[in-house]
Amino acid sequence: MIRAVVSMRGVALARTTVLARAATLVRAGVRGYATPNTKTEETKSLIESKRQASLAGGGTKRISVQHSKGKLTARERIDLLLDPHTFREYDAFVEHSCTDFGMSSNKITGDGVVTGVGKINGRTVFVFSQDFTVFGGSLSQTFAQKVCKIMDRAIQAGAPVIGLNDSGGARIQEGVDSLAGYANIFQRNVLASGVVPQISLVMGPCAGGAVYSPALTDFVFMVRNTSHLFVTGPDVVKAVTNESVTQEELGGASVHTRKSGVAHGAFDNDVEALARTRELLSYLPQSNREPVDPRYTADPVDRADVALDTIVPTDSHRAYDIKDVVRRIVDDGRMFEIMEDFARNIVVGFARLGGQSVGIVGNQPLVSSGVLDIDASVKAARFVRFCDAFNIPLVTFVDVPGFLPGTQQEHNGIIREGAKLLYAYAEATVPKIAITT
């Protein structure tokens, strides 16, 4: 009986102690000490402030400058490129880790690139969009890690990678770490080559090491008057060669679509470039492991076109436009031409036959009688190898007098470059149809 009384007193004492402590905690919460609910609210508030900082990029002033140049921001570009409400961002709160040159106190959430996954016409794609409003879109070690992450995910998932480039190059404050970041990205470009389609849009400056990632991808598109692509800028060219050139003359869209062949196409503004990229993707598979999804067409498979009987002149000295022939054969008369302004004596692009995506290669009699020169050989060879890598059948329209003679062609390696085209066709294992016009 005595033990029972003692036990009851102990329970009462313990209960009193618990109630006292609970009251103390409540009072502490009133005085500002964190309770579980308070901590949750603080965490939510911190996450939301980080999210808003990430969405703001470089701030209102820099965004206004971007718009004044006729350019969209990194996030606006992603919104236009992808299907509505499908973008899932990766690493939005990441910041750089550089401590030199006062950078530890100069951090912007997201660190100059927006990365993630979304959908285009219901198909999964991975995308990164460089933000010029944040440190001029310059590449840091953290920036590179974000890009490499989505490229790794794209290879694993078997989905295309689209890069929206708008960068001043390496972030000089990080020195070698930044250059190492480029090396890691280049490695991913190579690993993804022939595995998943890679598309680069140059939508602003792209200088120094930044130029080589687009060059390693399958397709490069530029925006006229706002995008520039060069290894060294006009100031360096002036210092080294004493040659005075503007950015446009050195690496504008016209230069790279007509002279160098670095870019596969150019568009008038960001909106058109993004819309056309969506269209191009419809001709491509998700990866080398999947076929291209066929598209419904009302164009009958057995359609006859009497114009084809006369469109090619009987006089071999008269020129004709091979594009007219192609459009009368393919579905709905539509072809997505690649490198339209470069090596115009040969035409390459994508079209559909019976709803199935095909690669088109055709000699162009309107330009130099369709003769094959160095540029035409390289242009066609690269396209043929891309189609072979991604299981896209090839249809070739043949009307060619041969390889272009002359000392300039011979001295610049027409034998070597011409052999690349022969090799590409011989190597290709996809269905190949040749039509001699």
Side-chain angles (χ1 to χ4, degrees):
M1 186 67 179
I2 295 174
R3 289 180 180 176
V5 171
V6 172
S7 179
M8 290 298 292
R9 286 179 178 175
V11 170
L13 180 61
R15 185 171 180 275
T16 302
T17 302
V18 169
L19 291 174
R21 288 181 178 177
T24 301
L25 287 173
V26 170
R27 288 193 298 272
V30 172
R31 290 198 300 267
Y33 292 95
T35 63
N37 286 337
T38 305
K39 282 187 176 181
T40 301
E41 291 303 318
E42 287 179 353
T43 302
K44 287 182 179 180
S45 178
L46 178 62
I47 291 174
E48 184 58 28
S49 65
K50 282 284 188 182
R51 182 177 288 111
Q52 293 304 318
S54 178
L55 293 173
T60 305
K61 184 177 180 180
R62 290 174 182 171
I63 290 174
S64 297
V65 173
Q66 182 88 342
H67 287 161
S68 70
K69 296 178 181 178
K71 296 161 59 178
L72 300 176
T73 65
R75 293 184 180 278
E76 289 170 343
R77 289 165 176 165
I78 288 177
D79 288 343
L80 281 176
L81 176 66
L82 302 179
D83 296 344
H85 313 299
T86 63
F87 181 58
R88 180 181 178 185
E89 188 172 355
Y90 291 174
D91 303 322
F93 300 162
V94 165
E95 296 175 347
H96 69 76
S97 57
C98 180
T99 58
D100 297 327
F101 305 102
M103 291 297 289
S104 58
S105 59
N106 187 15
K107 295 184 177 183
I108 298 178
T109 305
D111 202 36
V113 64
V114 182
T115 62
V117 62
K119 293 185 181 296
I120 292 180
N121 296 322
R123 297 170 53 192
T124 299
V125 297
F126 288 80
V127 61
F128 67 86
S129 182
Q130 298 173 349
D131 190 347
F132 194 77
T133 69
V134 178
F135 302 121
S138 59
L139 185 134
S140 68
Q141 184 181 43
T142 303
F143 183 127
Q145 289 170 350
K146 290 180 66 174
V147 174
C148 288
K149 179 177 179 177
I150 66 120
M151 295 180 76
D152 289 339
R153 294 286 177 87
I155 296 171
Q156 293 169 2
V161 179
I162 301 175
L164 311 180
N165 296 270
D166 191 358
S167 169
R171 193 171 299 172
I172 59 174
Q173 291 90 340
E174 296 201 15
V176 175
D177 286 341
S178 177
L179 300 179
Y182 277 125
N184 292 330
I185 293 175
F186 300 158
Q187 181 68 49
R188 267 61 173 199
N189 288 132
V190 173
L191 292 175
S193 182
V195 178
V196 296
Q198 300 180 82
I199 302 173
S200 296
L201 276 72
V202 181
M203 313 186 82
C206 190
V211 303
Y212 288 108
S213 179
L216 289 168
T217 61
D218 299 310
F219 300 103
V220 180
F221 298 107
M222 299 182 69
V223 178
R224 296 185 182 96
N225 300 320
T226 59
S227 64
H228 303 99
L229 196 65
F230 40 66
V231 177
T232 56
D235 292 340
V236 177
V237 171
K238 176 67 174 178
V240 175
T241 68
N242 201 33
E243 181 182 7
S244 298
V245 292
T246 65
Q247 289 189 344
E248 190 67 24
E249 292 169 339
L250 183 62
S254 178
V255 171
H256 289 307
T257 54
R258 297 175 185 273
K259 296 181 180 180
S260 72
V262 170
H264 296 77
F267 307 106
D268 290 332
N269 52 59
D270 287 8
V271 176
E272 183 187 3
L274 296 166
R276 292 284 280 168
T277 300
R278 288 175 59 92
E279 181 183 352
L280 170 62
L281 200 66
S282 70
Y283 292 96
L284 309 181
Q286 285 294 91
S287 71
N288 62 0
R289 301 189 297 270
E290 298 183 30
V292 182
D293 293 333
R295 285 292 185 93
Y296 169 78
T297 176
D299 195 347
V301 175
D302 58 353
R303 168 178 56 83
D305 192 335
V306 295
L308 290 171
D309 294 335
T310 57
I311 197 170
V312 178
T314 55
D315 183 357
S316 60
H317 296 289
R318 290 180 57 195
Y320 63 95
D321 191 347
I322 194 64
K323 296 181 189 179
D324 291 339
V325 177
V326 172
R327 292 191 183 102
R328 289 187 175 276
I329 293 175
V330 301
D331 291 353
D332 305 311
R334 299 184 65 180
M335 180 177 71
F336 191 104
E337 190 170 353
I338 300 295
M339 301 181 81
E340 181 177 3
D341 297 321
F342 179 76
R344 294 172 57 243
N345 42 322
I346 198 163
V347 173
V348 301
F350 296 102
R352 292 187 179 90
L353 289 173
Q356 171 65 52
S357 182
V358 297
I360 301 292
V361 181
N363 304 111
Q364 176 58 286
L366 276 182
V367 181
S368 303
S369 300
V371 68
L372 286 170
D373 57 10
I374 291 174
D375 289 342
S377 299
V378 173
K379 170 182 173 179
R382 178 164 179 161
F383 181 77
V384 168
R385 298 194 72 181
F386 174 86
C387 290
D388 184 47
F390 291 99
N391 306 306
I392 300 174
L394 286 161
V395 180
T396 306
F397 294 85
V398 184
D399 187 352
V400 59
F403 286 96
L404 181 64
T407 55
Q408 183 180 11
Q409 289 290 305
E410 296 289 355
H411 294 174
N412 288 331
I414 184 64
I415 297 173
R416 178 187 65 249
E417 305 302 335
K420 291 180 180 178
L421 180 56
L422 304 179
Y423 188 96
Y425 267 107
E427 179 192 37
T429 58
V430 295
K432 292 173 282 189
I433 298 175
I435 303 169
T436 304
T437 57

